[in-house]
Amino acid sequence: MGGANNLTRLEHPERIRVEMEKVEGAFEELRKIKELFARRGWFPATSGNLSVRMDVQEGEPDLIAITASGKDKTVHTPEDFLLVDREGKPAFPTRLKPSAETLVHTAIYQKIKDCRAIFHIHTVHNNLISEQCGDAGYVSFSGHEIIKALNIWEEGAVIRVPIVPNHASIPDLAQAVREVTDPRVPAVLIRNHGIYAWGDSIFAAKRHLEAFEFLFEYQVKLQLLNQ
């Protein structure tokens, strides 16, 4: 956003306006999440991406703050994030490229109307679970206290996380994710790739992601103990 720090508003050629304070606030929230997840080793080899849907003026299209492509997420720079429109294209002139998987984010935002934040990470545990259960097309969990973190409170509740193939074509991947996205289950696994988790706030998306990663790690370690 270089050179924009003295502006109070940004203007898109199509007259989309965004308060600069809100943009900087969204970028700062993403920076905090990026730093936290990087410390946990959830962004190996520049992988993963984060986004937050921006509030804009009534009647104007949504804008999304998202991580830039190819950045080392263990360090901070002034060019870690940018704004894209609901089609995944940069909303303002920039030399930055949005994450290669931006279309997956926009597909989820379009499907889940109250979604405000989406986090995508690659971990060994979510890859192992996705491969083990990939042929079934889902992995299910029940009897875990931490399921309550997903706003599921029923006695003996079961949650089923869908798994889709890791399509090389990003439009195909985005469509596959869109088809299985369920408002009741705030995550989708991509086989041998990673997880997309979301929520109606940054806090909720973080809570959901942490709950799923706990469940994946538990399942992997339980299987090792039972061998």
Side-chain angles (χ1 to χ4, degrees):
M1 306 300 295
N5 290 334
N6 294 324
L7 300 178
T8 58
R9 307 182 79 84
L10 288 175
E11 182 169 324
H12 186 274
E14 297 179 1
R15 304 186 63 81
I16 298 173
R17 298 172 184 268
V18 181
E19 293 181 5
M20 191 61 195
E21 183 177 345
K22 290 182 179 179
V23 175
E24 292 176 342
F27 286 2
E28 176 62 16
E29 290 299 317
L30 287 176
R31 186 197 67 78
K32 291 176 182 177
I33 291 293
K34 179 171 74 77
E35 184 174 46
L36 174 64
F37 291 175
R39 287 200 305 265
R40 296 176 179 176
W42 286 359
F43 294 130
T46 77
S47 65
N49 35 75
L50 312 168
S51 73
V52 174
R53 192 166 71 183
M54 297 285 300
D55 290 321
V56 296
Q57 291 183 0
E58 185 176 355
E60 293 183 340
D62 291 338
L63 292 179
I64 299 164
I66 196 165
T67 42
S69 179
K71 300 292 184 179
D72 182 350
K73 295 178 180 65
T74 65
V75 298
H76 300 308
T77 78
E79 298 186 329
D80 289 335
F81 311 106
L82 70 157
L83 294 177
V84 299
D85 61 24
R86 63 181 302 142
E87 305 302 321
K89 298 177 181 178
F92 302 96
T94 179
R95 64 185 179 184
L96 300 177
K97 292 182 179 181
S99 166
E101 295 167 9
T102 297
L103 291 181
V104 181
H105 288 253
T106 59
I108 296 170
Y109 284 122
Q110 290 167 16
K111 183 79 174 286
I112 309 296
K113 300 307 180 183
D114 66 348
C115 179
R116 305 299 299 178
I118 301 170
F119 302 149
H120 172 51
I121 64 169
H122 300 202
T123 68
V124 172
H125 293 112
N126 68 40
N127 272 245
L128 288 171
I129 288 294
S130 72
E131 172 60 17
Q132 182 182 52
C133 301
D135 289 345
Y138 66 89
V139 56
S140 61
F141 299 95
S142 63
H144 292 272
E145 175 68 15
I146 206 163
I147 288 178
K148 294 177 181 177
L150 306 169
N151 293 320
I152 299 174
W153 298 85
E154 296 85 358
E155 186 78 22
V158 178
I159 189 164
R160 177 180 288 188
V161 185
I163 303 170
V164 301
N166 185 22
H167 297 288
S169 164
I170 299 302
D172 289 346
L173 179 62
Q175 181 59 29
V177 169
R178 183 184 179 89
E179 288 175 356
V180 301
T181 296
D182 184 341
R184 298 167 298 177
V185 182
V188 173
L189 274 168
I190 301 172
R191 189 167 184 170
N192 278 329
H193 181 151
I195 185 175
Y196 280 86
W198 56 86
D200 60 7
S201 66
I202 287 176
F203 175 75
K206 173 179 173 290
R207 185 181 74 238
H208 297 161
L209 180 60
E210 290 172 340
F212 284 118
E213 285 297 315
F214 176 94
L215 292 168
F216 300 150
E217 184 172 357
Y218 172 91
Q219 190 66 22
V220 169
K221 291 183 175 179
L222 180 63
Q223 291 168 1
L224 290 174
L225 287 173
N226 289 337
Q227 286 183 354

